[in-house]
Amino acid sequence: MIWLLIVLFLLPLVWMVALSVQAQGAGLEAGMASFPQGVHPENYAAAVEQMEGFWHLVGNTTLLTVLSIGGQLFCCSLAGYAFARMRFAGRDVLFMLVLGTMMLPPQVLAIPQFLLYRELGLIDTFYPLLLPTLFGGAPFFIFLFRQYFLSLPAELSEAARVDGCGHFRTFFFVMLPLARPVVGTVAIFTFLATWNDFWSPLIYLNSPENQTLTLGLAAFNQSYRVAVELLMAASSMILAPCVLVYFLFQKVFIRGVRLSGAKG
Amino acid sequence: MAALELRRLSKSFGDHQVVDAIDLQVTDGEFLVLVGASGCGKSTILRLIAGLEKADAGDVRIGGHSVLDRDPGDRDVAMVFQNYALYPHMTVRRNIAFPLRMARMPREQVRARSEEAAAMLGIGELLERKPSQLSGGQQQRVALARALVRRPQVFLFDEPLSNVDARLRAEMRAELARLHQRLGATMIYVTHDQVEAMTLGDRIAVLHQGRVQQVGTPLEVYNCPANSFVAAFLGSPPMNLLPAAATPWADPLGANAVIGFRPQQARLGGSLQGRVELVEELGSESLVHVRCGDHAVVLSLTPGHGLGPGEPVGVAVEAPHLHHFDRDSGVRLP
C-alpha cells in the first residue's frame, strides 16, 4: 500500500524529469519510454537560454523570498510574543480579530488590496508582495508563535526581566532563540509559499524586469512553439530549490506540520 | 546590601485578595523566611518585591528608596526561581554572565565575575555545559551563581529547594546558610517547608490568607506562637489543639479557650485520659496517636514505650508548656 502511494506521488515528478531530458521533439507521448534512447541534459541549458531573462527571474524570486521570510519571521514572532507575554488592554480581543482574518479568502481581499496599492502608487513594485509580511499578513504564523511562546515556562521571561532585560531584549536574547522549531517552520512554509506564488505576482507585477519565476514559466509555456522538453526542464529547475529545501530540512518541515496541525 | 521595607503592600487578583496590607521590615544582611501554606500569598509578595507583579497599594522600599516605579531589572534584586529558570539555549557560563551582559559590563569583568561566582558554588568545571546536561543540584547551583554574580542589594528565593530530593535539599540548605554567612546579604526566602524556615531564617514571617500572622526568630515563633494558626502550622507533628473544656487543665477564660501543647512536650501518666489509636515508629521517635473523647492528640515519645492500639493512657503536660488561644479569634491568651 505504502509503495503504491509512493509511486502515485512520485510519478508526476519523475515524469517531469524524464520529459525534461528526452530528445527535443519527442513530445509528451514518449515520456519515460524515451530513457533508453539517451539523456539530454543540454535541454536545461537550452531552457535557460530560451526562457527570457531566466537569471533575472531567479534573482527577483530569490529577493522576494528572502525578504518575505525575514519579514514574516520578524513581524509574526514579535506579534506572537506580544500576544503571549505582554499584558495590555484588549489583547485577547485583538488576537481573536487577527485570527478572524484567517477566515477571509485571499480572493475576497484581492480587489480592495489592489485598489489600495494602486492608490499608493505601488503597482508593479515588490511592495504589495512584501508589505503584508511586515504588517501581520500571516495570522496563522502569529498564532503558531504565540502558542509556542505560551508553552515556554513564564519563569524564563521573568528571570530575564529580573536580569535586566526589557521586553525587546527578553524577546531577542531568550524567547526567540528558544523558538527555533517555529522559526524553522515559518521560514520553510514562507519559502514554499513565496517561491511558488503565482497569484500575487500576476496581480501586482507587470513589467518583465519585475516578474518572478512562476510568471516567467507561465509566459514560457504560452510562448510560440515551445518544446515540452524545455518546458519540463524549466519546471524542474524552478522546482529544484523546493525539493532541495525539503530534503535538507525534512525534520524541521515534518515537525512544523505537526506543530501547525497542517495536513497535505 | 540593603534593608527592605514593605509598607501596607496589597495585591488582589480579581476578587481574591492575595496580599492584604502587609507591613514588613527586613534589616540589612538579614535572612527572612516567608512561610505559609500554598496560596497564602508568599510567592506573590516576592514577585511584588521583584517587580514581576504590580502592587494595588502600598510601597516596596529597598535601601530606603521606593522601587515601585522601577522595572524589575532596575530594582537591584536577584531572584532564584522554583524551577531555576536557566536559559536552556545558553551554556552555564553564558547563563551566569547574562545579567552582567545585560548591564553592559566590560567583557573581561564579566568573565572574571562569572568565574568567581562559579568557583564559589563549585561549578567551575561545568561552565561550558548546557543546563540540560546538569543534574538538579548542579542546575540549582547555576541559578544561585547567576543570582549572586550581580551582587544585588537583595536576594529573593522562591521555593528553590522544592524540586530536589530530600538528601540534596539538606545539602543545599546548608550551602545556602553558608552562603548567607559568607556574603552577609539581605535574603528573602519563600517556602512552605517548615524545616527550611526554621533552619535557614534569622527571622520567620508566617503568612496565612495574605496576612502576616507572626514575625520572629524561629524559636520565638515555635515556642510562643501568636495564634492557633501559627501553632498548628509550625512543628512536626503539629501542635495538639483541644477545647479547654475537653481537658483537665485550667482555662484562663472560662470555656472559651483552646489549649495547645507540642507532641514533644507531652508525657505519659497524666490526667488527660484517652486510648491509643495508632503507633508510628520513626526510629528516633515514636508517634502515638491517642483518642481523647471527640479529639485526637499526638504524642512524640522515646521508642520502646511498649504501647499498642487500644490501650488506655493518661497524658500529662507541664503547665509552662501549655498554650492558650482564644477559641473564636485564635489569638494567643496571656
Side-chain angles (χ1 to χ4, degrees):
Chain A
M1 184 62 188
I2 188 81
W3 286 108
L4 183 67
L5 281 174
I6 290 171
V7 169
L8 265 176
F9 278 98
L10 276 182
L11 193 62
L13 200 66
V14 174
W15 196 27
M16 178 181 73
V17 176
L19 281 172
S20 74
V21 291
Q22 73 181 6
Q24 278 190 46
L28 273 174
E29 303 76 26
M32 278 177 278
S34 65
F35 262 120
Q37 291 153 25
V39 174
H40 299 273
E42 67 274 10
N43 288 350
Y44 283 80
V48 170
E49 203 175 297
Q50 289 193 25
M51 196 168 153
E52 214 168 298
F54 179 81
W55 294 114
H56 189 71
L57 297 174
V58 170
N60 282 352
T61 311
T62 306
L63 180 70
L64 270 174
T65 304
V66 169
L67 291 177
S68 296
I69 291 173
Q72 294 287 30
L73 287 177
F74 181 74
C75 168
C76 297
S77 58
L78 272 174
Y81 173 81
F83 282 126
R85 286 281 180 257
M86 290 174 77
R87 294 183 216 170
F88 54 91
R91 182 185 69 173
D92 294 342
V93 175
L94 194 60
F95 181 61
M96 285 298 143
L97 274 175
V98 169
L99 282 192
T101 61
M102 279 169 65
M103 308 300 158
L104 293 170
Q107 292 82 355
V108 171
L109 296 172
I111 291 173
Q113 277 185 345
F114 180 84
L115 294 175
L116 174 73
Y117 288 124
R118 196 183 62 180
E119 284 302 307
L120 294 171
L122 298 178
I123 298 300
D124 203 23
T125 69
F126 287 165
Y127 290 111
L129 308 183
L130 293 174
L131 286 179
T133 68
L134 288 167
F135 289 97
F140 181 63
F141 293 154
I142 295 175
F143 170 75
L144 269 191
F145 271 109
R146 175 188 179 263
Q147 296 310 104
Y148 195 81
F149 287 136
L150 280 177
S151 74
L152 297 174
E155 286 88 347
L156 285 176
S157 48
E158 289 175 351
R161 288 179 65 200
V162 175
D163 283 343
C165 297
H167 276 300
F168 271 106
R169 291 207 289 179
T170 302
F171 171 74
F172 282 113
F173 287 115
V174 177
M175 302 300 270
L176 193 58
L178 291 175
R180 266 185 299 189
V182 189
V183 168
T185 303
V186 170
I188 288 173
F189 281 8
T190 307
F191 170 81
L192 294 176
T194 314
W195 189 268
N196 294 323
D197 190 16
F198 177 70
W199 165 260
S200 303
L202 180 69
I203 294 176
Y204 296 113
L205 303 176
N206 306 325
S207 322
E209 67 270 17
N210 284 340
Q211 292 197 341
T212 59
L213 276 170
T214 47
L215 292 183
L217 188 64
F220 191 44
N221 185 28
Q222 287 156 14
S223 63
Y224 180 62
R225 287 177 67 181
V226 62
V228 70
E229 296 77 20
L230 301 190
L231 189 62
M232 289 302 132
S235 301
S236 302
M237 281 188 287
I238 293 169
L239 188 68
C242 298
V243 177
L244 192 72
V245 162
Y246 176 75
F247 281 113
L248 282 178
F249 302 103
Q250 201 175 7
K251 279 186 185 165
V252 180
F253 187 79
I254 291 169
R255 193 170 49 198
V257 172
R258 277 211 308 264
L259 264 178
S260 64
K263 288 178 187 172
Chain B
M1 307 305 154
L4 172 93
E5 189 182 356
L6 307 182
R7 287 185 186 169
R8 310 292 295 163
L9 192 65
S10 296
K11 176 72 186 173
S12 59
F13 295 112
D15 296 337
H16 184 46
Q17 188 76 34
V18 183
V19 177
D20 194 358
I22 276 184
D23 287 304
L24 208 56
Q25 277 90 38
V26 187
T27 56
D28 191 358
E30 186 178 19
F31 197 128
L32 179 85
V33 178
L34 300 178
V35 65
S38 295
C40 70
K42 54 192 188 298
S43 288
T44 307
I45 294 174
L46 215 61
R47 293 170 62 81
L48 287 166
I49 297 169
L52 295 172
E53 298 288 349
K54 271 192 174 166
D56 296 338
D59 197 5
V60 176
R61 302 177 77 84
I62 297 176
H65 305 287
S66 174
V67 294
L68 272 191
D69 54 350
R70 293 190 201 164
D71 284 333
D74 299 330
R75 294 191 176 199
D76 207 5
V77 299
M79 188 158 171
V80 177
F81 290 82
Q82 187 172 358
N83 63 2
Y84 321 133
L86 298 179
Y87 309 122
H89 57 296
M90 296 182 197
T91 59
V92 168
R93 181 188 293 281
R94 287 177 69 84
N95 260 286
I96 297 173
F98 189 74
L100 305 182
R101 281 174 52 221
M102 292 302 105
R104 298 196 169 87
M105 194 173 272
R107 193 169 287 186
E108 271 316 302
Q109 212 174 335
V110 169
R111 171 182 281 270
R113 273 173 65 167
S114 309
E115 287 176 1
E116 184 194 352
M120 196 184 284
L121 285 151
I123 49 171
E125 331 73 78
L126 308 176
L127 284 173
E128 305 313 323
R129 291 203 201 163
K130 291 272 181 74
S132 59
Q133 297 168 306
L134 305 177
S135 68
Q138 288 168 335
Q139 289 185 19
Q140 181 65 258
R141 284 166 204 272
V142 176
L144 285 173
R146 188 176 68 187
L148 66 88
V149 75
R150 295 177 61 183
R151 300 176 188 164
Q153 299 214 57
V154 178
F155 285 89
L156 306 171
F157 297 95
D158 189 5
E159 306 207 37
L161 304 185
S162 61
N163 284 346
V164 294
D165 60 51
R167 197 172 135 241
L168 188 60
R169 199 179 310 150
E171 226 172 81
M172 290 305 296
R173 219 166 43 217
E175 179 101 28
L176 273 172
R178 276 195 293 270
L179 204 64
H180 178 243
Q181 280 174 4
R182 188 169 167 181
L183 299 174
T186 309
M187 294 182 171
I188 301 176
Y189 188 101
V190 158
T191 183
H192 62 268
D193 184 325
Q194 48 180 293
V195 179
E196 278 173 32
M198 296 292 288
T199 53
L200 283 173
D202 294 328
R203 284 191 308 153
I204 295 176
V206 183
L207 292 150
H208 181 52
Q209 293 179 339
R211 291 188 183 160
V212 175
Q213 303 296 311
Q214 186 174 6
V215 187
T217 65
L219 285 180
E220 272 170 15
V221 177
Y222 183 80
N223 291 330
C224 198
N227 56 42
S228 54
F229 173 81
V230 177
F233 186 78
L234 280 183
S236 178
M239 182 181 279
N240 295 298
L241 293 167
L242 298 164
T247 72
W249 301 306
D251 176 358
L253 278 188
N256 210 25
V258 168
I259 289 185
F261 61 91
R262 298 267 175 216
Q264 295 80 1
Q265 286 159 347
R267 54 185 173 75
L268 295 174
S271 50
L272 176 62
Q273 295 300 314
R275 199 171 282 276
V276 175
E277 275 191 326
L278 174 72
V279 177
E280 292 178 286
E281 296 292 353
L282 303 181
S284 60
E285 62 177 337
S286 174
L287 300 181
V288 180
H289 297 249
V290 177
R291 164 79 36 198
C292 303
D294 292 339
H295 306 282
V297 297
V298 180
L299 318 179
S300 171
L301 303 176
T302 311
H305 47 70
L307 292 171
E311 271 188 65
V313 288
V315 178
V317 183
E318 286 171 21
H321 295 140
L322 289 175
H323 304 262
H324 298 86
F325 305 99
D326 182 77
R327 191 182 64 183
D328 299 323
S329 66
V331 173
R332 182 182 188 84
L333 299 171

